[in-house]
């Protein structure tokens, strides 16, 4: 997330006044912020735990002949169900359809009502009377909702499935280190005219899913959108916050937000729907997007934000069970370990249960292949391990391939002892297939935010950075005691937080700034070379490689490191794939090299690296890695340079060059022996032995194209990768 902090005085005033608190945006943290654990046994730590409900039927349960509603609210004194014809009063046909009293089961604290008849597509709220007052609220367990998520909706989920959904398959890989993750926001991919997407679908689920797109929609131009992902060999897409969030207006086509302000956790955001008023449409269209990615062999990773809610005293969780779902230091003060005014309590039975049911629902109903946890440190290690164990047990054990990673830092005191937090230093307490962002390697690569201080790849002559990168090549953090396996390290140099890597490269060397925006469009070879060299390192390091979408075509936000609500700034300029075609091709080639050599993807044991002699020990890093797997190279050398041209002393024998800082892939670029001359700011990969040719497996699938409002289906051959598992 973009870390947000509330000015303490303002926060106190807002809480005392009972007003909603909102996240105020600040610069992203470059280093881990952890809790002191001083609060320890916070207020209401065991409150109502003896009333925890183990059932999975909270919310509305639909059948054509009867719908049942259930609410867990042990201390409420009265709950009523209100039914509506529409999701808001401003819609045509708006009407109140009745009010009904729910009945409480004192043993479980669950209130319920069952109404005979067909209530499909009826909208509803609860009126809950409790210590928080009398409040009308949406259902925290809702799986469908009307416009802006204010009213929940009874949904027949089977009716929301797109054609062929019963044949849709998860895209799983044997190891999460087999993936190169590409982080993207739904709207960014197609909200510019350069995407060639019809205006009605720009920035929408369906625009993202559309095949056959070219730059500016011109015949013969380069492919963009989802077809570009296929051509690049991108095999895992991390979608930022596709769930329903509060910080945007679904009725306003110009509205934009990253979405780290959750509202309804179990349904998609209506901003990306062609009709946010009908709760069915957003579900159907998000499924179409997932289906389109799966058809192309691309795994779908979903960004989730369970660590806080958008509002606090006025949230549906507070209205439903006051003072339970959050960590609090007193009966009136919320612990603000997220910088957003509140921190949810994953260590409490009902919120832990809520998280687990929600995640399982996204896997089973939407076929999501993995999850990225925002401010994962706000959750306790027991909860994360229980989530992992739940996944591992799904699909006859194939669920162990569901990817899990998150941010191992918080934004203040998290309210639980440090030893219980899912932070970097506690990774040894978590399962091997739970990963965290490696901020240490990132810091060494890129230096400070906005390039105030250079990183190693932008020319910093730093022995400390060089040592960190040597550890990072093994998928390690700054200390051996932090993580136990390479598959726990997410290696990255940029993400949605902060400036793009390209912008950092330019700003660190004063080639561009807020007052020199034209500089961000430079095509100077030095900066392009530095970009390509970073790909050489990132795609060969053990762990999970992760890039911001578009980094491979020098994506720029023109120095804006906090673009959470800047739609035009974030929109892809697809013409850059032509301007920076060499970098695009280089990134693709590096993906092919990584896929062809299994030691780069070794997630369970650390490789043994033979560091080679170079002409500049801190400025040129080079190592040899051996392999005994049949059909792959027997030995590989990786070399990266952050300064003047120099040499690498090669082990004996003849070496084939497959990447030279200009080109990369599985085709020979020449041979070398004795020494290798590495270019200034350049890189190289040299190999011995042979590797089997990468065989492309093409399947013919039916894909959707949209021309205006007309849906056209066509058959296309798409590259299939990974092991597909039927849900």
């Amino acid at each position: 997330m973009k870390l947000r902090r509330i000015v303490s005085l303002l926060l106190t005033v807002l809480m005392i006044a009972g007003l909603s608190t909102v996240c105020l945006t600040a610069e992203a943290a470059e280093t881990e912020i952890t809790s002191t654990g001083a609060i320890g046994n916070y207020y209401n730590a065991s409150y109502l735990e003896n009333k925890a409900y183990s059932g999975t039927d909270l919310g509305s349960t639909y059948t054509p002949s009867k719908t049942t509603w259930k609410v867990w609210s042990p201390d409420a004194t009265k709950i009523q169900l209100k039914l509506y014809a529409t999701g808001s009063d401003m819609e045509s046909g708006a009407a109140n359809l009745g009010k009904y009293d729910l009945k409480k089961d004192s043993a479980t604290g669950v209130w319920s009502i069952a109404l005979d008849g067909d209530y499909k597509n009826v909208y509803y709220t609860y009126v809950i009377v409790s210590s928080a007052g009398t409040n009308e609220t949406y259902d925290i367990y809702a799986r469908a909702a009307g416009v802006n998520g204010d009213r929940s909706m009874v949904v027949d989920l089977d009716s929301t499935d797109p054609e062929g959904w019963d044949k849709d398959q998860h895209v799983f890989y044997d190891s999460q280190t087999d993936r190169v993750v590409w982080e993207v926001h739904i709207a960014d991919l197609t909200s510019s005219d350069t995407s060639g997407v019809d205006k009605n679908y720009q920035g929408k689920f369906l625009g993202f899913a559309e095949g056959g797109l070219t730059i500016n929609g011109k015949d013969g131009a380069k492919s963009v959108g989802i077809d570009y992902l296929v051509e690049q060999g991108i095999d895992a897409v991390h979608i930022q916050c596709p769930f329903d969030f509060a910080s945007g207006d679904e009725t306003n086509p110009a509205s934009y937000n990253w979405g780290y302000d959750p509202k309804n956790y179990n349904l998609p955001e209506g901003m990306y729907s062609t009709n946010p008023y009908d709760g069915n449409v957003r579900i159907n269209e998000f499924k179409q997007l997932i289906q389109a990615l799966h058809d192309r062999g691309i795994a779908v990773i979903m960004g989730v934000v369970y660590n806080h809610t958008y509002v606090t005293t006025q949230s549906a969780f507070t209205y439903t069970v006051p003072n339970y779902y959050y960590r609090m230091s007193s009966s009136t003060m919320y612990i603000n370990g997220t910088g957003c005014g509140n921190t949810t309590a994953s260590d409490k039975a009902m919120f832990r249960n809520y998280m687990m049911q929600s995640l399982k629902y996204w896997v089973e109903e939407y076929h999501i292949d993995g999850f990225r946890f925002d401010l994962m440190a706000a959750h306790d290690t027991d909860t994360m391990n229980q989530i992992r164990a739940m996944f591992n047990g799904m699909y006859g054990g194939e669920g162990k391939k569901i990817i899990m990673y998150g941010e191992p830092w918080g934004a203040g005191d998290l309210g639980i002892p440090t030893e219980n937090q899912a932070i970097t230093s506690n990774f040894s307490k978590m399962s091997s297939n739970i990963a965290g962002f490696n901020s240490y390697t990132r810091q060494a690569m890129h230096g400070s935010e906005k390039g105030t201080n250079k990183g190693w790849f932008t020319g910093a002559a730093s022995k400390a950075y060089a040592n960190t990168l040597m550890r990072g090549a093994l998928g390690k953090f700054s200390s051996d005691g932090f993580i136990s396996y390479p598959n726990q390290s997410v290696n990255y140099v940029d993400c949605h937080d902060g400036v793009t890597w390209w912008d950092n490269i330019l700003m660190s060397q004063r080639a561009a700034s807020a007052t020199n925006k034209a500089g961000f469009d430079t095509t100077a070879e030095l900066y392009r070379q530095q970009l390509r060299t970073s790909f050489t390192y990132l795609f060969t390091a053990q762990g999970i490689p992760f890039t911001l979408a578009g980094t491979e075509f020098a994506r720029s936000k023109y120095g804006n490191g906090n673009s959470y609500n800047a739609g035009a700034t974030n929109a892809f300029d697809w013409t850059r794939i032509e301007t920076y075609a060499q970098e695009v091709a280089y990134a693709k080639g590096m993906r092919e090299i990584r896929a062809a050599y299994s030691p780069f993807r070794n997630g369970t044991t650390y490789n043994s690296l033979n560091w080679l002699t170079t002409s500049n020990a801190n400025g040129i890093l080079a190592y040899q890695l051996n392999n005994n797997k049949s059909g792959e190279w027997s030995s590989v050398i990786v070399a990266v340079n952050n300064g003047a041209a120099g040499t690498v002393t090669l082990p004996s024998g003849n070496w084939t060059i497959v990447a030279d800082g200009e080109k990369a892939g599985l085709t020979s670029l020449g041979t070398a022996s004795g020494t290798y001359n590495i270019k200034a700011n350049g890189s190289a990969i040299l190999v011995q032995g042979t590797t089997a040719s990468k065989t492309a497996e093409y399947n013919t699938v039916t894909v959707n194209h949209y021309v205006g409002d007309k849906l056209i289906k066509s058959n296309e051959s798409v590259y299939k990768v990974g092991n597909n598992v039927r849900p």
Side-chain angles (χ1 to χ4, degrees):
M1 72 178 290
K2 171 59 65 177
L3 296 183
R4 296 159 184 179
R5 294 170 175 79
I6 306 297
V7 179
S8 59
L9 178 60
L10 174 60
L11 180 59
T12 302
V13 171
L14 286 174
M15 287 183 173
I16 292 173
L19 300 177
S20 62
T21 58
V22 298
C23 296
L24 303 180
T25 307
E27 290 298 326
E30 287 290 337
T31 56
E32 177 183 347
I33 303 173
T34 63
S35 169
T36 63
I39 292 174
N41 292 323
Y42 55 88
Y43 172 78
N44 73 358
S46 59
Y47 178 60
L48 292 180
E49 292 298 82
N50 63 328
K51 290 284 190 180
Y53 180 64
S54 60
T56 59
D57 56 352
L58 296 176
S60 64
T61 302
Y62 169 79
T63 70
S65 60
K66 180 176 68 174
T67 295
T68 302
W69 289 263
K70 289 188 176 182
V71 184
W72 182 74
S73 185
D75 281 354
T77 56
K78 184 177 182 179
I79 298 182
Q80 289 183 309
L81 171 72
K82 291 185 70 174
L83 301 181
Y84 297 91
T86 57
S88 68
D89 288 335
M90 61 184 174
E91 298 170 55
S92 175
N96 294 336
L97 301 180
K99 183 185 292 186
Y100 304 87
D101 290 337
L102 277 70
K103 183 178 180 180
K104 182 180 181 180
D105 180 342
S106 298
T108 63
V110 173
W111 299 70
S112 64
I113 188 173
L115 298 179
D116 292 332
D118 192 344
Y119 285 86
K120 179 179 177 180
N121 301 336
V122 170
Y123 295 86
Y124 69 94
T125 60
Y126 301 125
V127 178
I128 301 177
V129 182
S130 69
S131 60
T134 300
N135 298 288
E136 184 173 1
T137 182
Y138 57 87
D139 184 353
I140 61 175
Y141 283 88
R143 295 180 174 182
V147 65
N148 286 320
D150 292 329
R151 291 175 182 169
S152 305
M153 190 188 88
V154 178
V155 62
D156 173 11
L157 287 166
D158 289 342
S159 70
T160 67
D161 294 344
E163 181 183 345
W165 185 248
D166 60 325
K167 297 180 176 62
D168 185 70
Q169 299 176 338
H170 281 288
V171 177
F172 289 153
Y173 295 80
D174 290 337
S175 170
Q176 56 189 20
T177 54
D178 287 338
R179 313 180 189 208
V180 178
V181 180
W182 200 72
E183 183 195 33
V184 66
H185 185 279
I186 293 291
D188 295 355
L189 196 84
T190 63
S191 56
S192 110
D193 289 340
T194 64
S195 70
V197 173
D198 182 273
K199 289 285 188 183
N200 292 323
Y201 300 101
Q202 285 185 2
K204 307 293 185 185
F205 291 132
L206 294 186
F208 197 127
E210 185 174 348
L213 299 174
T214 60
I215 298 175
N216 291 316
K218 293 182 177 179
D219 292 341
K222 289 188 175 182
S223 295
V224 300
I226 201 169
D227 290 353
Y228 168 84
L229 273 63
V230 175
E231 291 183 3
Q232 273 290 288
I234 292 167
D235 53 22
V237 169
H238 160 178
I239 298 176
Q240 284 179 254
C241 306
F243 55 80
D244 181 61
F245 53 83
S247 50
D249 182 359
E250 295 175 358
T251 69
N252 180 5
S255 189
Y256 178 94
N257 203 282
W258 280 344
Y260 291 91
D261 299 306
K263 188 167 185 178
N264 285 282
Y265 282 97
N266 297 313
L267 56 101
E269 168 58 35
M271 192 182 300
Y272 312 130
S273 161
T274 58
N275 181 4
Y277 296 96
D278 183 341
N280 296 287
V281 174
R282 65 180 75 192
I283 299 173
N284 171 269
E285 291 178 348
F286 187 36
K287 287 179 177 178
Q288 284 193 53
L289 169 55
I290 295 166
Q291 185 178 41
L293 288 164
H294 283 173
D295 282 347
R296 291 159 172 81
I298 299 171
V300 180
I301 300 168
M302 177 175 169
V304 290
V305 185
Y306 292 107
N307 60 84
H308 73 274
T309 56
Y310 179 64
V311 291
T312 304
T313 57
Q314 293 180 338
S315 84
F317 287 92
T318 298
Y319 290 162
T320 304
V321 189
N323 296 349
Y324 176 77
Y325 287 105
Y326 300 97
R327 297 181 187 144
M328 303 179 71
S329 58
S330 73
S331 61
T332 58
M333 294 302 296
Y334 292 83
I335 292 171
N336 185 21
T338 62
C340 294
N342 62 74
T343 305
T344 53
S346 62
D347 51 320
K348 291 184 186 176
M350 284 303 287
F351 196 75
R352 176 182 290 168
N353 178 276
Y354 184 86
M355 288 178 63
M356 294 179 70
Q357 286 192 37
S358 176
L359 290 162
K360 187 177 183 182
Y361 173 70
W362 285 108
V363 171
E364 292 182 336
E365 182 64 31
Y366 289 86
H367 309 169
I368 297 295
D369 307 303
F371 298 91
R372 178 267 195 195
F373 291 82
D374 186 67
L375 292 189
M376 186 171 66
H379 305 312
D380 62 291
T381 55
D382 284 348
T383 294
M384 298 309 297
N385 285 332
Q386 288 187 40
I387 291 169
R388 181 71 269 174
M390 176 185 70
F391 287 156
N392 291 350
M394 296 177 70
Y395 305 133
E398 286 295 294
K400 66 181 181 293
K401 298 175 182 178
I402 294 171
I403 193 170
M404 282 179 66
Y405 59 91
E407 294 177 302
W409 52 74
D413 200 316
L414 296 169
I416 55 175
T418 302
E419 60 267 24
N420 295 341
Q421 299 166 13
I423 55 177
T424 299
S425 57
N426 286 336
F427 263 77
S428 61
K429 300 178 181 179
M430 291 192 286
S431 302
S432 64
N433 276 354
I434 301 174
F437 286 94
N438 190 335
S439 60
Y440 304 99
T441 300
R442 183 198 190 200
Q443 179 75 22
M445 291 181 73
H446 89 338
S448 63
E449 171 71 0
K450 296 189 177 180
T452 307
N453 297 306
K454 292 182 179 181
W456 193 88
F457 281 93
T458 49
S462 168
K463 183 176 181 179
Y465 280 172
N467 288 339
T468 298
L469 293 173
M470 292 169 73
R471 297 182 59 80
L474 294 167
K476 292 186 175 183
F477 285 11
S478 66
S479 169
D480 284 331
F482 284 175
I483 61 174
S484 303
Y485 308 96
N487 64 23
Q488 292 182 298
S489 177
V490 176
N491 304 320
Y492 73 121
V493 67
D494 63 355
C495 62
H496 67 274
D497 274 335
V499 301
T500 67
W501 175 220
W502 177 251
D503 288 356
N504 180 285
I505 288 173
L506 300 177
M507 296 171 80
S508 67
Q509 293 161 103
R510 307 299 184 264
S513 66
T515 58
N516 177 29
K517 292 196 173 181
F520 291 104
D521 297 325
T522 180
T523 57
E525 176 60 18
L526 167 63
Y527 312 121
R528 296 170 66 177
Q529 182 75 273
Q530 290 171 333
L531 182 62
R532 297 192 299 269
T533 296
S534 69
F535 292 156
T536 301
Y537 175 83
L538 194 62
F539 286 87
T540 56
Q542 283 186 266
I544 305 168
F546 176 107
T547 70
L548 177 67
T551 293
E552 71 278 1
F553 55 75
R555 183 179 174 189
S556 178
K557 294 191 289 184
Y558 297 94
N560 187 343
N562 187 24
S563 57
Y564 71 99
N565 62 353
T569 299
N570 291 299
F572 280 19
D573 176 1
W574 283 105
T575 65
R576 293 177 84 91
I577 67 173
E578 294 180 316
T579 305
Y580 301 96
Q582 183 178 9
E583 288 64 49
V584 171
Y586 195 86
K588 178 181 180 180
M590 286 306 309
R591 287 188 178 90
E592 293 174 349
I593 290 171
R594 181 179 179 84
Y597 197 58
S598 57
F600 292 146
R601 309 189 313 278
N602 184 356
T604 56
T605 58
Y606 294 111
N607 291 330
S608 178
L609 304 183
N610 174 31
W611 290 93
L612 304 178
T613 301
T614 69
S615 59
N616 182 346
N618 293 328
I620 301 176
L621 302 179
Y623 65 81
Q624 178 188 11
L625 175 58
N626 295 320
N627 180 27
N628 58 11
K629 186 171 182 178
S630 176
E632 295 186 356
W633 297 307
S634 59
S635 190
V636 165
I637 291 172
V638 177
V640 290
N641 182 10
N642 79 340
T647 60
V648 177
T649 301
L650 303 177
S652 61
N654 290 320
W655 294 84
T656 299
I657 305 163
V658 293
D660 63 0
E662 307 291 333
K663 296 180 180 180
L666 303 181
T667 303
S668 172
L669 301 175
T671 60
S673 61
T675 60
Y676 180 81
N677 296 321
I678 189 167
K679 299 174 183 177
N681 299 105
S683 61
I685 297 178
L686 300 89
V687 303
Q688 283 184 340
T690 59
T691 183
S693 298
K694 183 178 180 182
T695 302
E697 177 191 349
Y698 284 90
N699 286 10
T700 300
V701 299
T702 301
V703 298
N704 292 338
H705 302 264
Y706 292 90
V707 179
D709 291 329
K710 185 178 181 181
L711 170 63
I712 301 173
K713 293 181 178 292
S714 64
N715 292 326
E716 291 185 3
S717 292
V718 299
Y719 180 54
K720 299 288 288 183
V721 295
N723 300 319
N724 295 337
V725 178
R726 283 288 297 275

